[in-house]
Amino acid sequence: MPTSAKPLDENVRDLRSLINADAAELSARLRAQQLRDFPPAAEKTIRRFSSAEAARFIGIAEGYLRQLVSEGKGPSAPANSRRSYSIEDIDALRRDLDSAGKGARRYVPHRRDTEALQVISVMNFKGGSGKTTTAAHLAQYLAFRGYRVLAIDLDPQASLSTLFGHQPELDVGDNETIFGAIRYDSERRPMPEIVRATYIPNLHIVPGQLELMEFEHETPKALMTRQSNDSMFFARIGEALAQVSDVYDVVVIDCPPQLGFLTLSALCAATAVLITVHPQMLDVMSMSQFLNMTGSLLDVVAEAGGATQYDWMRYLVTRYEPSDGPQTTMVGLMRSIFGSRVLTHPMVKSTAIADAGLTKQTLYEVERQQFTRGTYDRAIEALDLVNGEIESLIKQVWKRN
């Protein structure tokens, strides 16, 4: 009789014990590393900005900003140092300009009563498409521009939360994600109790962690035992957002990289959808499957009463290398198929963004001198072009010039 093969690792009894042991050890090591890098009393802060950056965020020329400073507005320049601006300084200047402004132009971009809350779901079925990086930089850019922004981390991996200074294993407890506001039992919480501030005044966050998977597990049970007065799963995120809609202009949702109940709920709550795609053949093929699955599921959701009307839907080309011939061909194919639904500006691949992520920062947060000037400037320019194009879409929805 043939003898059973012995495992290469004599210490392994079965896959379950190996995975549990490795998970426990890795978690302990990561927790220790996080405590060294981010002590419990430590708080993440945002750097100060140069005159050029401050003027760009306010939407004025740098020369006009210097004129305002000469009139006694803005921060004073420290001795032997260039003047810099905190995000609070920028907001104060924006308010001053708005209150003193003549004509139709306004510098504080908060939405009016007639303008609907914008909910942008950032999504892709395949990991590595730059989805979380896109959501993080978009949320920060809009906050720097003066919009009141709520970022929601729907991904159980919680990378967005980590970028914004909320460590999922240390800082986010049970019932402190959006699951707490959309769950089906008596422990459901009001949305305002879950929203957290960040180190950027105009940017709040609903963090994520592994408990978000509970919604995927609990929804099938809830569908089987649903009472007539219970709202459907796809309406729950929208209902939660309605509780805080008056205090925000834009909501940016970082969806998980799979098509589950959370993603479908985010799609039904959204007023706009941004799909990130890396212009490689395998990624585009994966997106094709994703679109087919999404369309089929949205048909089912629509038949059950779910909302599927959007102000806009766009594809964002990410990690783009203009000198790569096959990528350029793939982008051309996408533009020939989707036309203007592909954003005009792609997000170029940049070592600056990747290096910033190693220290759990966005590119907007790191100092320019940490990189070679050309590398940093190219990446910032690409980010501003992409995010500015999305801001323009928001303004079009609000019918602003």
Side-chain angles (χ1 to χ4, degrees), residues 163-236:
L163 278 175
F164 288 165
H166 297 271
Q167 307 297 317
E169 293 189 346
L170 299 176
D171 305 323
V172 187
D174 293 340
N175 228 24
E176 293 183 353
T177 70
I178 200 169
F179 175 67
I182 62 176
R183 62 190 302 161
Y184 298 96
D185 58 22
S186 60
E187 295 186 38
R188 189 172 179 180
R189 302 177 62 191
M191 185 70 166
E193 293 182 5
I194 298 171
V195 173
R196 300 184 179 195
T198 70
Y199 47 95
I200 299 171
N202 288 331
L203 177 59
H204 293 170
I205 187 171
V206 176
Q209 54 115 299
L210 286 174
E211 79 163 5
L212 287 166
M213 290 301 299
E214 293 296 316
F215 190 70
E216 306 293 343
H217 301 152
E218 295 297 325
T219 295
K221 302 176 188 176
L223 288 173
M224 295 177 63
T225 59
R226 179 173 174 264
Q227 304 296 316
S228 59
N229 59 338
D230 292 340
S231 57
M232 292 289 284
F233 73 89
F234 51 75
R236 293 191 164 237

Side-chain angles (χ1 to χ4, degrees), residues 68-129:
L68 293 173
V69 171
S70 68
E71 296 171 357
K73 298 176 181 178
S76 58
N80 303 319
S81 179
R82 289 184 176 182
R83 182 178 280 104
S84 62
Y85 299 78
S86 69
I87 194 64
E88 290 81 7
D89 294 332
I90 294 172
D91 279 341
L93 281 165
R94 186 182 287 116
R95 288 193 296 270
D96 285 345
L97 285 167
D98 205 62
S99 61
K102 298 178 181 178
R105 180 169 184 186
R106 291 294 176 263
Y107 295 86
V108 176
H110 297 174
R111 64 188 178 95
R112 285 86 168 182
D113 292 340
T114 57
E115 298 170 338
L117 175 71
Q118 296 298 289
V119 182
I120 304 171
S121 288
V122 185
M123 58 190 304
N124 194 302
F125 185 65
K126 196 174 189 296
S129 66

